Amino acid sequence: MTPAQHSPLIYRHRLPVRIMHWINVVCVVVLLGSGLQIFNAHPALYWGEDSRAGTRILEIGQRREGTHLVGVTRIGGTEFVTDGLLGRSRGPDGSELARAFPAWATIPSTQWLAMGRLWHFFFAWLFVANGVCYVLWTVFTGHLRRDLVPTRWELRGIGRSVLDHLRLRHPHGEAARRYNVLQNIAYLSIVFVVLPLIVVCGWGMSPLLDGLPTGWVDWLGGRQSARTLHFVGAFLLVAFVLVHVFEVIVTGLANNLRSMITGRWRIPE
Amino acid sequence: MTKPAKPLFEQRRERRKLLCAAVVAAAGGSLAGCDAVSNDERAVNVLRSAETLTRSVQRTLGRRAMAQEFPASQIAPKFRPNGTTMPPGAAYAAMLADGFASWRLQVDGLVDRPLVFRLAELRAMPSRTQITRHDCVEGWSCIGQWKGVRLSHVLQLARPKPQARYVVFHCLDQMDEGDDRSLYYESVDLDDANHEQTILAWELNGQPLPVENGAPLRARIERQLGYKQPKYLRRIEVAERFADQGRGRGGYWEDQGYNWWAGI
């Protein structure tokens, strides 16, 4: 028998959190895939109100080398060869495609802007509704104050927490019952900074919403800046998900997965 | 005889392999699933239902909202053309050759007084000049200055009947080679048609509207995306519905699957 089977099983995640978590998983995957599909229709980012060569900060395209094309990504004035992934990649049937993000990363997989938009806006509504429910739930059940906002004492331990995470040392026993301070900061900044930024920048791209009230999009730096920030926010979210999934795996995949499905979590000894 | 148990490290390695395979299968499966959904009409109609929600909310919140206008310093050096840049066919070429003297704009449909205008007659009408941002569905934006007559002014002259709900724009540019039924068309509701900034523009950046931008006349529906701004106008039809036009979705790009409501 392994010692883990002796340690107590606690009820860690309540049903509403579990449901909202998995709705989020579906929404994030679809919004990312359909978002990359939409980006592919004009694979460049700018800073300012409109799109000009002079204000372009990122572009994914192709460079002609002799008779064939090479996929490249230009950031500022620097060009990187990203062939095989960005700019040129293989489709599901193995054919070479000149497109910014590859077929396996977009929804739908073919270049199909109209369909990508249908996916994006349907799941955007679902995502926002789910997010509003989550925030209301965390506030009114005390989950926010009790579990998510770190105490002053926990904040003081932030340096040690960073070192522990880097060494892949995770809390055990009683200390593992609470989210650690880095977890708190990650969750809070995603919920209250990154996701609202993505949503507000999404609104900033709407030609109707930019008139409510007129001129507010200038606060984001203009419509094309809003589009860029929407993209940056999306990649901060992707970075969060990567770290999150990594931590879920290294701290016990089966135990963590079970806690997000049935709610039961075994405290690591 | 039972098989001897595999060493623990081997079991773990196999478990890892299985997990990886499961993740790859799940990812591949969900992508294939998304493609299948995209090609299933009923499923697409579910996705499309979000358009109704978006339209209702945006209409309710933004009925009177004004699109942002910009100072002259923000005008782009060149207004980027998109879609048709030269309508095919001899008819348009002939109009272009005579400086659009033979061009006419027809206003008809559900109106008490069907009208026909020459370009000079439209240019003599009270005009509005606005510097606005054109947002293409692809994602890019371009700022330009437009001058033209308010569509509401032209509609008042024609007097729409009470049952009128939409304005359908018919254009001169044929979109698909060899298909003379593929003329560009678009439609908006009366809220957008009568909006202060909805104009029939004959001037871009102080110059007569260039051919690539829709000469001699294009509509500006400033609170919607670029494909809702029809170029090369020939006829404005007031209608109760648009289901009987084209493939029934209210516009050339709508018939290709794009949203009728292009406020987002």
Side-chain angles (χ1 to χ4, degrees), chain B residues 11 21 29-30 36 40 42 49 55 58 60 89 102 109 121 125 137 143 148 156 164 175 194 204 215 226 235 249 262:
Chain B
Q11 281 182 24
S30 46
D40 182 277
R42 264 183 308 175
S49 64
R55 191 195 61 222
Q58 291 201 339
T60 308
S102 58
E121 288 169 325
M125 289 180 180
V137 66
I143 294 174
Q156 272 165 23
M175 298 299 287
N194 288 318
L204 168 61
R235 176 177 170 221
R249 290 200 177 274

Side-chain angles (χ1 to χ4, degrees), chain A residues 52 104 109 117 206 210 224, chain B residues 31 35 74 133 141 263-264:
Chain A
R52 308 178 187 190
W104 56 261
S109 60
R117 284 167 52 82
S206 153
D210 95 341
Q224 289 300 317
Chain B
L31 276 184
D35 282 353
Q74 300 251 45
R133 196 192 58 227
S141 310
I264 189 164

Side-chain angles (χ1 to χ4, degrees), chain B:
Chain B
M1 247 180 72
T2 53
K3 256 168 77 181
K6 286 179 183 168
L8 195 61
F9 75 90
E10 211 168 289
Q11 281 182 24
R12 283 205 177 135
R13 192 196 293 158
E14 273 178 11
R15 206 161 43 168
R16 258 203 308 271
K17 264 192 199 159
L18 199 69
L19 194 70
C20 283
V23 168
V24 168
S30 46
L31 276 184
C34 290
D35 282 353
V37 167
S38 304
N39 287 300
D40 182 277
E41 202 188 323
R42 264 183 308 175
V44 169
N45 282 337
V46 174
L47 293 180
R48 206 176 269 287
S49 64
E51 180 183 343
T52 312
L53 184 57
T54 307
R55 191 195 61 222
S56 319
V57 170
Q58 291 201 339
R59 260 284 168 264
T60 308
L61 294 176
R63 183 154 282 140
R64 285 177 217 294
M66 295 286 279
Q68 190 174 1
E69 296 192 24
F70 299 87
S73 59
Q74 300 251 45
I75 296 174
K78 176 174 167 53
F79 194 88
R80 178 177 171 156
N82 202 24
T84 307
T85 48
M86 177 68 204
Y92 185 83
M95 287 184 228
L96 180 58
D98 71 10
F100 297 105
S102 58
W103 174 88
R104 297 287 183 278
L105 179 73
Q106 221 175 304
V107 180
D108 58 11
L110 291 178
V111 294
D112 288 336
R113 244 179 15 147
L115 296 167
V116 176
F117 297 101
R118 294 163 185 271
L119 187 56
E121 288 169 325
L122 291 169
R123 294 178 70 109
M125 289 180 180
S127 69
R128 186 179 205 280
T129 302
Q130 57 202 33
I131 301 172
T132 52
R133 196 192 58 227
H134 179 96
D135 298 330
C136 180
V137 66
E138 293 166 359
W140 52 267
S141 310
C142 196
I143 294 174
Q145 176 185 283
W146 306 94
K147 182 180 176 185
V149 59
R150 286 177 188 79
L151 176 57
S152 60
H153 179 81
V154 173
L155 289 178
Q156 272 165 23
L157 295 177
R159 292 202 294 262
K161 292 182 192 291
Q163 65 269 38
R165 289 188 59 204
Y166 299 101
V167 169
V168 184
F169 301 93
H170 298 275
C171 306
L172 291 162
D173 51 331
Q174 181 182 318
M175 298 299 287
D176 305 316
E177 211 177 325
D179 181 2
D180 56 10
R181 290 171 311 163
S182 70
L183 292 171
Y184 201 92
Y185 77 106
E186 253 307 338
S187 58
V188 295
D189 60 19
L190 289 185
D191 276 328
D192 264 319
N194 288 318
H195 187 259
E196 168 73 10
Q197 290 166 313
T198 296
I199 61 172
L200 304 174
W202 56 74
E203 221 176 85
L204 168 61
N205 296 339
Q207 301 294 320
L209 194 59
V211 169
E212 59 185 15
N213 301 108
L217 194 72
R218 84 176 296 177
R220 295 298 310 167
I221 319 286
E222 299 293 357
R223 302 177 303 170
Q224 299 214 37
L225 295 173
Y227 65 85
K228 295 296 281 192
Q229 334 269 330
K231 311 196 274 189
Y232 317 107
L233 294 177
R234 64 180 173 91
R235 176 177 170 221
I236 292 173
E237 179 190 1
V238 179
E240 192 179 355
R241 52 204 287 273
F242 51 70
D244 49 354
Q245 315 254 2
R247 274 186 249 162
R249 290 200 177 274
Y252 175 80
W253 286 112
E254 287 86 335
D255 286 341
Q256 323 292 317
Y258 285 85
N259 301 100
W260 180 81
W261 178 257
I264 189 164

